[in-house]
Amino acid sequence: MEVYLIIGQCGVGKTWLMKKLIEQYETTSKGKLGKVKFNLNETKNIYILGNYDGSMYEGSDKLSMAVASDFQLLYHYMLTIENPIVICEGDRFTNKTFLQTFKPTIIKIKGDGETGRIIRNSSQSERQLKSIATRISNIKEHIAFEDSNETLTYFTNKNK
């Protein structure tokens, strides 16, 4: 099982990246296991976790705050799949349960995300942003990229 967790400040392009990966990997089918929603390519066994529906706050932000209670269920399901690739992003997946269960390769998109938050007219409070920034800074990444385009290039090259 290959598992990738994309982390970074709010607005750095994590959701944009995931939407590009949904296109690139043709994960057009939708699935749900417990509280975990995902897009998948059943032929290639690629799972993009989150709810990508075109709204302002999509992806992992659209998952229940209680989604962590179903990470064990998801993990055991993935063990039944031949060589699954799981890609996720965001705050819901930065908890101890997910990190210890899935042992993901952690990819950090650098930057403060201010431009992205301005573009989407984000209403997140300074307190929310600081809380997420603290959590992100406490997670050691395996790979770091300057921006979401560079991160997309990484996944594009892995797909060749």
Side-chain angles (χ1 to χ4, degrees):
M1 180 182 334
E2 289 181 52
V3 182
Y4 301 92
L5 170 59
I6 313 301
I7 63 171
Q9 302 296 334
C10 296
V12 295
K14 297 181 303 289
T15 300
W16 175 87
L17 170 68
M18 299 303 275
K19 289 164 64 171
K20 291 294 185 184
L21 293 176
I22 287 169
E23 291 174 23
Q24 179 175 301
Y25 292 131
E26 300 174 338
T27 58
T28 53
S29 296
K30 299 251 184 197
K32 183 178 179 186
L33 188 63
K35 295 175 194 72
V36 183
K37 294 181 180 180
F38 49 84
N39 283 56
L40 73 144
N41 178 319
E42 295 173 89
T43 306
K44 296 180 180 178
N45 294 331
I46 299 173
Y47 294 77
I48 307 277
L49 306 184
N51 186 8
Y52 296 89
D53 61 2
S55 61
M56 181 185 299
Y57 297 104
E58 56 185 328
S60 65
D61 291 340
K62 287 288 256 205
L63 297 177
S64 165
M65 292 298 286
V67 71
S69 65
D70 287 328
F71 288 159
Q72 290 291 333
L73 175 67
L74 179 66
Y75 179 74
H76 290 288
Y77 171 74
M78 289 299 164
L79 291 176
T80 69
I81 306 297
E82 184 177 344
N83 302 317
I85 297 171
V86 178
I87 307 170
C88 56
E89 58 82 17
D91 202 36
R92 303 288 191 279
F93 299 103
T94 60
N95 65 60
K96 185 177 179 180
T97 303
F98 186 84
L99 295 174
Q100 288 183 347
T101 303
F102 283 89
K103 297 175 181 48
T105 297
I106 298 172
I107 299 173
K108 182 177 186 178
I109 301 174
K110 297 179 185 178
D112 65 10
E114 184 176 4
T115 302
R117 291 192 305 274
I118 290 169
I119 289 170
R120 75 170 182 224
N121 198 24
S122 175
S123 61
Q124 291 169 300
S125 70
E126 284 301 315
R127 183 177 178 204
Q128 288 173 304
L129 295 173
K130 188 172 182 174
S131 172
I132 293 168
T134 300
R135 188 171 305 130
I136 295 304
S137 69
N138 288 329
I139 299 172
K140 177 66 178 135
E141 73 272 7
H142 297 101
I143 307 168
F145 293 107
E146 293 301 318
D147 57 36
S148 52
N149 281 309
E150 194 176 290
T151 313
L152 179 61
T153 300
Y154 168 80
F155 279 102
T156 300
N157 291 337
K158 282 190 74 60
N159 196 29
K160 289 182 180 178

